[in-house]
Amino acid sequence: MALFGLRFDFRNPAVAGTAMSERYAAALDMAEWADGLGAVAITLSEHHGSEDGYLPSALTMAAAVAARTRNARLTIAAIVAPLHDPIRLAEEAAIVDLLSGGRLDLILVNGYVAGEFEMFGVPLGERVRRTVEAVEVLRKAWTGEPFEYRGRTVRVTPRPHQEGGPKIVLGGTSETAARRAARLGDGFMPSSAQFWEPYRDEMLKLGRPDPGPFFGGDTSVTCLARDAGAGWKAHAPFFLHEMNAYGRWMQDAGFGAEGGYEPTSDAEALRRTGQYRVLTPDEMVGELREKGPFGFAMLHPLVGGTPPDLAWESLRLFESEVLPRL
């Protein structure tokens, strides 16, 4: 048995040579393909005002994916909560949940890219307050009942398909964020495994169920090729683009190499980090077998602007030479 999912962020730098409309169409085809093969999750990420066209409207894309799939969970990882009107966010999420038959999960984060906050006129210092408010508003809104919001009575209809609404997971990069997630969220997605224990500790202090050890993944990317060396050369420009784009954001935010991202122009140095890998099908099968019956592979086929044709080569190898052997 093998569990797998896909993730997309729609970066489309000039080096990709791909029309943005082509990238969106390819992602929908890939989502449908993955759902048909039993993918457990399709994950979409959000950022705003990015030069490479990073997806700014994850819920809109989730609605399109919902229409092309039947079983996979649709995870937004993540919504930059302070940049959204929480009432409008509640409405849009409810509709996606209805379209998908209750398959939507949301990860909310405070955000860290200063340019995004400038774009929306939101002070960085209000990030935490606005995220906390968003969680509170979403929960009230999804009851379908009237409630007080900033001095006025509002009501959000229709209600989501899931009773009480989609699961709300909070992301974070600190012990404070971990403990806040225990108090407010339905789960926690840390940027690093080191922040899981404070989350677990706070859950136990609050008398809530023990979430157990950390089983989350990381931000690494794995693609497939029959010849791993040739595959690396083909994929390297797009791996470098993602590494540098995230790396610059994180450096500007003062995170350093948090999450494994650090700007570099050296493809071989990048390869040695292990953050990005090109494996043969045999190598991936071996790794997944070592993980046991519930080994999980998160595939990022269009990573860093990878052209659709190259991405499909990797996915077809996964379909024909990995899945049948697990």
Side-chain angles (χ1 to χ4, degrees):
M1 178 179 181
L3 304 177
F4 79 101
L6 298 189
R7 60 185 172 112
F8 299 102
D9 58 23
F10 297 91
R11 291 188 184 275
N12 195 40
V15 68
T18 304
M20 185 62 89
S21 56
E22 180 185 356
R23 186 166 301 281
Y24 275 77
L28 288 174
D29 289 343
M30 290 172 184
E32 185 174 18
W33 166 88
D35 190 62
L37 291 174
V40 297
I42 297 169
T43 298
L44 303 171
S45 301
E46 169 191 290
H47 275 290
H48 303 272
S50 177
E51 291 183 4
D52 59 14
Y54 200 117
L55 179 66
S57 187
L59 283 169
T60 300
M61 190 64 195
V65 172
R68 295 280 293 271
T69 60
R70 293 292 177 268
N71 299 301
R73 300 295 301 181
L74 308 181
T75 302
I76 311 299
I79 293 281
V80 186
L83 306 182
H84 290 264
D85 178 289
I87 299 297
R88 187 63 179 148
L89 179 60
E91 291 181 329
E92 292 178 353
I95 298 306
V96 174
D97 197 55
L98 288 165
L99 284 168
S100 66
R103 291 185 285 131
L104 180 65
D105 300 310
L106 296 180
I107 299 176
L108 302 186
V109 296
N110 297 333
Y112 64 93
V113 182
E116 295 180 330
F117 286 80
E118 293 170 5
M119 176 178 172
F120 284 90
V122 174
L124 275 168
E126 294 184 6
R127 288 179 296 174
V128 173
R129 180 186 67 77
R130 286 174 177 256
T131 299
V132 171
E133 180 187 56
V135 174
E136 296 171 348
V137 169
L138 290 173
R139 293 239 171 83
K140 292 176 182 177
W142 289 335
T143 68
E145 299 299 323
F147 65 98
E148 294 299 309
Y149 171 67
R150 296 184 181 178
R152 60 187 188 273
T153 301
V154 299
R155 185 183 185 188
V156 170
T157 59
R159 289 185 296 177
H161 178 89
Q162 298 177 80
E163 185 66 30
K167 184 178 181 181
I168 299 174
V169 173
L170 295 179
T173 58
S174 68
E175 178 175 339
T176 300
R179 295 187 183 279
R180 185 186 308 118
R183 296 193 300 272
L184 300 177
D186 298 317
F188 180 51
M189 183 61 69
S191 62
S192 172
Q194 67 178 306
F195 301 122
W196 185 257
E197 282 308 310
Y199 169 71
R200 187 179 184 185
D201 177 67
E202 191 70 16
M203 288 286 285
L204 295 175
K205 285 182 178 178
L206 294 169
R208 296 183 176 176
D210 184 353
F214 182 63
F215 288 113
D218 54 31
T219 58
S220 63
V221 174
T222 302
C223 296
L224 291 171
R226 293 191 186 282
D227 182 324
W232 176 266
K233 290 179 181 178
H235 285 276
F238 312 107
F239 293 162
L240 280 167
H241 176 76
E242 182 184 78
M243 172 61 81
N244 288 319
Y246 276 127
R248 286 191 294 270
W249 279 345
M250 291 190 171
Q251 279 195 345
D252 290 345
F255 290 147
E258 179 67 49
Y261 297 108
E262 190 169 11
T264 180
S265 59
D266 187 335
E268 285 307 309
L270 179 63
R271 189 177 188 177
R272 290 192 293 270
T273 68
Q275 176 76 5
Y276 298 88
R277 304 183 304 158
V278 177
L279 302 180
T280 65
D282 286 347
E283 288 171 331
M284 178 173 273
V285 168
E287 286 192 0
L288 290 174
R289 283 178 174 169
E290 285 184 7
K291 293 179 179 179
F294 298 104
F296 181 75
M298 177 61 85
L299 307 177
H300 192 356
L302 296 172
V303 56
T306 300
D309 287 348
L310 181 58
W312 273 118
E313 289 179 16
S314 177
L315 293 179
R316 293 301 185 195
L317 285 173
F318 184 78
E319 177 183 14
S320 64
E321 300 190 27
V322 175
L323 277 180
R325 297 163 62 187
L326 296 170

